[in-house]
Amino acid sequence: MSDDQIFDVVVIGAGPGGYVCAIRCAQLGLKTALVEKNSRLGGTCLNVGCIPSKALLHSTEIFHEIKTHSSAHGIICKDLKHDLSALMKRKDGVVDQLGKGVKALVTKKGVTCLDGHAKLIGQGKLEISDGKSSGTYSAKDIILATGSKPVELPFLPYDGNVIVHSDHGIAFDQVPKKMIVVGAGAIGLELGCVWSRLGADVEVVEFLPEICPQLDAEVAKSARKILEKQGLTFKLSTKVTSVKVAKGSATLVLEDSSGSTEVSADRVLVAVGRGPNTENLGLTEIGVEQDERGRINVDSSFQTNISGVRAIGDVINGPMLAHKAEEDGVACAEMIVGQSGHVNYDLVPGVIYVDPEIANVGLSEKQAQEQGIEVRTGTFPMAANGRALATGATDGMVKVVADAKSDKLLGMQIVARGASELIASAVAHMEYGGAAEDLARTIHAHPTLSESLKEAALSADGRGLHSF
Ligand code: NAI
């Protein structure tokens, strides 16, 4: 084996977990390779997930805002229409530009990029094949960062045309007339909004009694009501039991407590969660242990049961989020060189980028109560915020959850325009062990939407200044 096939670390998978881990390994002086089978680095997030969906959400939000609110702003738009192919072209351009940026970044940081599919062939050994040729490589540490893929329901198999998942749902060449979304989680809501704003009749079928189970019921309900006002319809506590596909259309049988109904659509987007990518990695052959959901078992230093084989990101336990995977990657690299990398899994923020955005961090009131913690809560409606009124962003609310005894901030939920940015200050307060009182006494610029966070904290102590 030549020197250029021997590394300190080989990271398999160049999503946000893998490429960030490889950069950190290189920064720490390790001879590092990053293996990717796709032609563009960036994984699901960059190619078919976070980035393209946010590009589409932004374009369609502009369209929807002009369509529904321009006249209120005194802006007259006649013959407003969209050009779907231009919208998709912009999205593809964003993805392409960022993909090139990631490749340039990892190369500049001293990471060797290897093209092909990697498979473990023994402890510290792997084979990389690009379909034409293959080579054998060795490394003291191999890090599996192979990500996740959409879960398929056995009775709703994907055909890529009528029954589709999120990879397809970011690239339709026509606006569906009727789209059924199965699953009211992040993907279902985001792509449901994209196509609804472009004119599709979107109906969301959700198994649970409310959308977004990570939120308290009052917050989730307020978010759903806003989305309903925008034109989405929801069938809650409903399950899909079967489907018939014929002539470019699907007929689903839905079941709820009152019986079964049929509904037809030209597209059915299934968004019921994601599962780990572990096929053809040689895991079984070398004996890497997986849990009942196929995720790779690791200890607190990302180490699997096979010495020198570690795993991070969506392929292990925890929220399947790009920023969590990045933090795993940094901590894993630092642990390899004996540093004390750390990830605070209690404070991973989650965001759904609909309008208004839905963001949360820490415990909901319900989750805190389930843990036996006595809490105080404070809420603030966006409609009472001056900046929200001035900018037409009055939909939504903020909810703060604090420990009733110590006043420590335990959680925050925000439904508001720009909630993805607002949640960062809640995370920072909580990371430093802040109390609701600390947030209540932090000066927020006026007029800003962020004042709503301070007001919610004040209201947890019955001192809200701008709410009734
Ligand atoms: P999810 O787990 O967020 O939501 C799936 C929803 O489908 C749940 O509400 C569940 O109750 C429902 N469901 C499950 N089986 C069902 C059935 N048979 N019929 C009807 N409803 C059913 O999954 P999603 O939206 O597919 O996202 C996958 C992963 O990707 C998640 O971990 C999510 O956090 C992540 N993601 C995050 C994004 C973000 O941060 N903005 C965007 C996209 C994905």
Side-chain angles (χ1 to χ4, degrees):
M1 196 178 287
S2 68
D3 272 1
D4 60 3
Q5 287 173 304
I6 302 171
F7 291 90
D8 294 320
V9 176
V10 173
V11 182
I12 304 177
Y19 87 74
V20 167
C21 181
I23 288 175
R24 189 72 190 115
C25 287
Q27 282 175 338
L28 291 165
L30 299 168
K31 186 183 173 197
T32 306
L34 177 64
V35 195
E36 175 54 57
K37 63 182 168 54
N38 290 334
S39 54
R40 189 162 45 216
L41 306 188
T44 295
C45 167
L46 194 154
N47 290 287
V48 288
C50 319
I51 301 302
S53 63
K54 261 80 266 174
L56 293 179
L57 280 156
H58 185 66
S59 299
T60 57
E61 194 178 319
I62 296 172
F63 178 69
H64 187 255
E65 181 75 3
I66 295 172
K67 191 169 146 194
T68 52
H69 287 102
S70 61
S71 61
H73 289 282
I75 300 166
I76 312 302
C77 283
K78 282 194 183 139
D79 304 325
L80 184 70
K81 53 185 185 218
H82 57 71
D83 174 348
L84 185 60
S85 64
L87 203 137
M88 290 292 170
K89 203 168 150 203
R90 175 185 176 276
K91 178 251 316 178
D92 293 339
V94 170
V95 169
D96 202 43
Q97 188 182 342
L98 204 54
K100 288 187 180 124
V102 172
K103 180 75 189 255
L105 190 67
V106 294
T107 310
K108 186 93 188 4
K109 299 279 186 187
V111 173
T112 303
C113 290
L114 302 172
D115 300 332
H117 178 96
K119 188 174 174 176
L120 300 170
I121 51 171
Q123 195 176 325
K125 291 215 160 7
L126 66 160
E127 185 186 73
I128 301 177
S129 144
D130 65 4
K132 290 182 218 118
S133 59
S134 65
T136 306
Y137 295 78
S138 78
K140 284 196 217 69
D141 282 281
I142 296 172
I143 301 169
L144 305 167
T146 48
S148 62
K149 59 176 184 307
V151 161
E152 185 173 61
L153 293 171
F155 48 88
L156 263 180
Y158 297 119
D159 61 19
N161 180 31
V162 179
I163 315 290
V164 299
H165 55 66
S166 50
D167 293 9
H168 313 114
I170 55 161
F172 295 155
D173 56 4
Q174 272 179 18
V175 178
K177 281 193 190 62
K178 167 95 185 183
M179 181 165 97
I180 296 173
V181 174
V182 183
I187 294 178
L189 296 182
E190 290 183 2
L191 291 181
C193 282
V194 162
W195 293 106
S196 164
R197 290 167 187 170
L198 293 175
D201 171 8
V202 175
E203 184 166 0
V204 184
V205 179
E206 168 58 50
F207 184 69
L208 296 173
E210 189 49 274
I211 69 168
C212 307
Q214 73 278 18
L215 303 178
D216 278 319
E218 62 179 326
V219 183
K221 187 176 170 188
S222 102
R224 175 170 54 80
K225 291 279 169 205
I226 296 165
L227 296 176
E228 283 173 346
K229 225 167 50 182
Q230 293 172 12
L232 272 75
T233 53
F234 290 89
K235 277 201 159 57
L236 303 173
S237 303
T238 302
K239 60 180 181 184
V240 181
T241 54
S242 65
V243 64
K244 271 196 208 116
V245 179
K247 293 186 193 146
S249 168
T251 303
L252 302 186
V253 177
L254 307 180
E255 249 178 53
D256 64 14
S257 57
S258 57
S260 68
T261 48
E262 284 194 356
V263 57
S264 298
D266 46 331
R267 301 270 196 186
V268 178
L269 176 82
V270 184
V272 294
R274 298 177 64 86
N277 272 329
T278 52
E279 297 81 40
N280 202 18
L281 278 178
L283 299 185
T284 320
E285 291 87 330
I286 73 157
V288 176
E289 283 172 8
Q290 292 167 252
D291 68 13
E292 70 294 345
R293 290 165 64 182
R295 297 171 301 193
I296 297 169
N297 286 336
V298 290
D299 65 14
S300 56
S301 52
F302 306 98
Q303 177 67 59
T304 67
N305 61 310
I306 303 294
S307 172
V309 177
R310 299 179 194 242
I312 60 167
D314 283 11
V315 83
I316 64 170
N317 186 19
M320 291 183 164
L321 296 170
H323 43 285
K324 178 267 186 185
E326 286 187 32
E327 295 301 326
D328 281 357
V330 168
C332 180
E334 291 174 352
M335 285 170 181
I336 286 173
V337 297
Q339 295 183 1
S340 50
H342 175 70
V343 183
N344 186 352
Y345 292 108
D346 292 335
L347 294 185
V348 181
V351 180
I352 303 178
Y353 295 80
V354 294
D355 180 35
E357 292 173 342
I358 305 167
N360 73 297
V361 66
L363 298 177
S364 67
E365 180 178 6
K366 186 162 171 263
Q367 287 165 336
Q369 283 163 348
E370 281 164 0
Q371 292 184 20
I373 306 170
E374 200 188 323
V375 295
R376 281 190 295 139
T377 64
T379 57
F380 186 77
M382 296 312 295
N385 174 280
R387 181 72 183 280
L389 202 62
T391 56
T394 49
D395 280 335
M397 65 182 289
V398 177
K399 179 168 180 176
V400 158
V401 181
D403 188 301
K405 292 196 187 90
S406 66
D407 195 39
K408 187 177 175 187
L409 267 178
L410 299 176
M412 170 93 71
Q413 305 180 15
I414 309 174
V415 178
R417 190 165 287 172
S420 56
E421 306 290 345
L422 297 174
I423 198 76
S425 89
V427 181
H429 270 278
M430 291 168 71
E431 188 65 48
Y432 298 132
E437 184 67 17
D438 295 317
L439 178 55
R441 289 189 181 273
T442 300
I443 302 173
H444 290 72
H446 176 76
T448 59
L449 300 181
S450 67
E451 289 173 283
S452 309
L453 275 61
K454 173 191 169 88
E455 284 283 352
L458 279 167
S459 121
D461 190 39
R463 289 155 43 210
L465 294 168
H466 291 89
S467 54
F468 294 100

